[in-house]
Amino acid sequence: MTTHRAARGRDPLSGASVTARTPKVPLTGRLLALRVLVLVTAVLGINYVTWRWLESINWSAWWIAVPLVLAETYSLVDSLLFGLTMWRLRRRGEAPPPPEGATVDVFVTTYNEPLDLVMATAEAAQRIRYPHRTWILDDGARPELRARAEAAGIGWITRSADWAGHSRHAKAGNLNNALMTTDGEFILILDADQVPDPAILDRTLGWFRDPRMALVQTPQVFVNVPGDDPLGSQAPLFYGPIQQGKDGWNAAFFCGSNAVLRREALMQLGITRYVSEVQLAVSRALRTADRVLARARRSLDPAQTEARAALDQVVAAVARARAELRDGAALADVTYRFQQRVDAAAREIVAADVDSLQADLAAIAELSSELDEEDGGLAEVDRGALTRLAARDWSPLGAIETVRALVRAVDVDKDDEAQPVMPMATISVTEDMATCMRLHALGWRTAYHDETLALGLAPEDLGTMLTQRLRWAQGTVQVMLRENPLVQRGLTLAQRLMYWATMWSYLSGFAAVVYFAAPVVYLVFGVLPVTGLTAEFFLRLVPFLLVNQLLFTVVGRGRRTWRGQQYSLALFPVWIRSVTSAVGNVVFGRSLAFAVTPKERQSVDRRPWHLVRPQLAVMSLLVVAAVVGTVRMVVADASVLGTVTNLVWVAFDLAVLSVVVQAVRYRGPEQPEGASA
């Protein structure tokens, strides 16, 4: 199966259609065997879950039976998405030689990290062999860092004065500011702690010989992590098979650091988003204009034929402008022609009621004042204001003047932002995934280069790790809510599913709660969520679990993936909080603060057990349930098969959750004698 599909986009400057084909993946014997395993896993999983829904739900205990089968269905979908990812696993190997004469800017992003750490990374970036210019992007605007950078011959960039009083957009804003002050054809982005290999550009730039290649991502590997990786910092499954599988579908995505990007692709993206946002504002204005005009026409006296005719002209002008926008006409031409038609209609009206006209003009002045106060024109006026305008009784001339003011007020200059063009996405607390998804929607390609070319620092304490994971999850869920990949135009079906697979994984916290609760309910109360622990139940479930685990083992090829599997369940409070806080932010407008991950070990005077209270509570419940269940079995008050099955389940849950005990007890890597924590 080596066919490939095309993702189609449109160049916003020329209007020409562009196509990015899903890369062809050679069908090797190893890949064929992997696909067979994927198919077997899918068949067994679908067979089991279908049977569960149709035959084995204990409806008399629906309150636990239904949540359990929903959790199992969630896990099946997760397994199917993983299998789809692995279906086109692509190992790229060596890149071609770098293009000759390419110019490169290396960005080292920083906010409040220690100066020595930032300078160590920047000086290592200076030593990259391929010709380039190194820049420190100092979002903290620290004079001492500037002095050290300039002394070392390293460029230093901080926010321009244009950002004063505007949203900063965290790291995305820092990068967007730097993009407007540099001019390299390619950009290598490094976090402040990611020390690059001198060969990083020599090893990656060759992929950009493909003129539609927008991004090359490399792994993130950490040097301060012990072999048992108690905080789960290394991600060998993601920075390996998962990204390689996504790469096979042209869906490998940007992870924020250790990546090279093409400036042309980013700038095209920024311009495209600018145009689409202004178009959306004009479209909103025209929709409001429709309602204003409809209300004004209803209030006319039948004898006011001239006024009705004038309003009809404006109604027709609104309809025509909306049609032109849908057909892709140039925005400036659409708005200019619309204003000319409205002006012609306004000249035909004779004011018959001076009092009502004066009232209308006062309302229009209030509208203009409101637009000015909103620091961004119509693009930022809330929907409530537009609704109030549409509901007001307007005289004919007042209605026409309101329509004209609405369209004129569209913030073409985007005064609400420091700069109108924002190539890096600013819709979440993490800029990487949304930016890359938009690039894919425009028809650009990406690559995952599976070679360690930078070494970073992982969190060294539990609190920092939890802060980092929460931010990653919140950012991903924000993107899911704001720009759901399943409905994004320009993406192939496979790309939509690849992005959705990552977003879907962060919903696992809710399923984990059910998986922890079900054995407790049975062992304590004797309530079984299935109709019976029959031979059929085990013959359908056990093969699926074994083959599914075999798939992970084969895909991992010796990589240590168990720690990642533990944290996917053990961090269930973090995943649940990420969903609820992201929903609160996107749907209800609640603030969602951005927290930079500290690059130093935080104070650990006492063990932070309070950070894992939910997990400790669950572990306590599991232990109590195991004791109660054992006693009930001994006194013949519970089925031996049911009790033993659920005790095995409890043992697995405790093994998963035990990682948080290790994390709390972890004191960070060994420090040299005399070094501070």
Side-chain angles (χ1 to χ4, degrees), residues 28 46 56 86 109 113 138 156 160 183 226 240 294-295 392 424 452 454 524 565 576 603 626 660 666:
T28 62
I46 293 171
S56 70
M86 295 302 103
T109 62
E113 294 85 354
D138 183 12
W156 180 87
S160 68
D183 57 7
R295 191 173 183 86
R392 192 184 188 283
M424 291 287 176
T452 301
V524 174
Q565 293 180 60
I576 292 173
S603 175
V660 302
Y666 180 56

Side-chain angles (χ1 to χ4, degrees), residues 597-628:
T597 304
K599 299 301 188 294
E600 299 176 298
R601 187 191 310 179
Q602 302 302 289
S603 175
V604 285
D605 295 334
R606 58 188 182 88
R607 301 196 189 280
W609 294 106
H610 64 286
L611 296 176
V612 291
R613 283 173 184 159
Q615 292 94 328
L616 295 176
V618 169
M619 294 176 76
S620 300
L621 282 173
L622 290 168
V623 171
V624 170
V627 172
V628 172

Side-chain angles (χ1 to χ4, degrees), residues 427-430 433 470-484 502-507 574-584 586 592:
I427 63 169
S428 79
V429 293
T430 54
M433 178 183 285
L470 178 62
R471 187 181 77 248
W472 290 349
Q474 284 174 329
T476 302
V477 178
Q478 281 180 304
V479 176
M480 179 180 71
L481 296 173
R482 287 193 167 118
E483 293 185 6
N484 188 327
T502 300
M503 298 171 182
W504 179 260
S505 67
Y506 284 111
L507 304 179
V574 174
W575 311 143
I576 292 173
R577 183 184 170 194
S578 72
V579 174
T580 57
S581 58
V583 169
V586 175
L592 193 65

Side-chain angles (χ1 to χ4, degrees), residues 278 281-282 285-286 289 335-336 338-340 342-343 346 364 367-368 371-372 376-379 400-413 415:
V278 174
V282 172
L286 292 174
T335 54
Y336 175 77
F338 174 75
Q339 295 286 12
Q340 292 298 305
V342 173
D343 289 344
I364 293 167
L367 166 64
S368 298
L371 291 171
D372 291 339
L378 187 69
I400 291 175
E401 287 300 318
T402 300
V403 169
R404 182 156 42 193
L406 281 168
V407 176
R408 188 184 298 121
V410 170
D411 183 21
V412 176
D413 293 329
D415 294 330

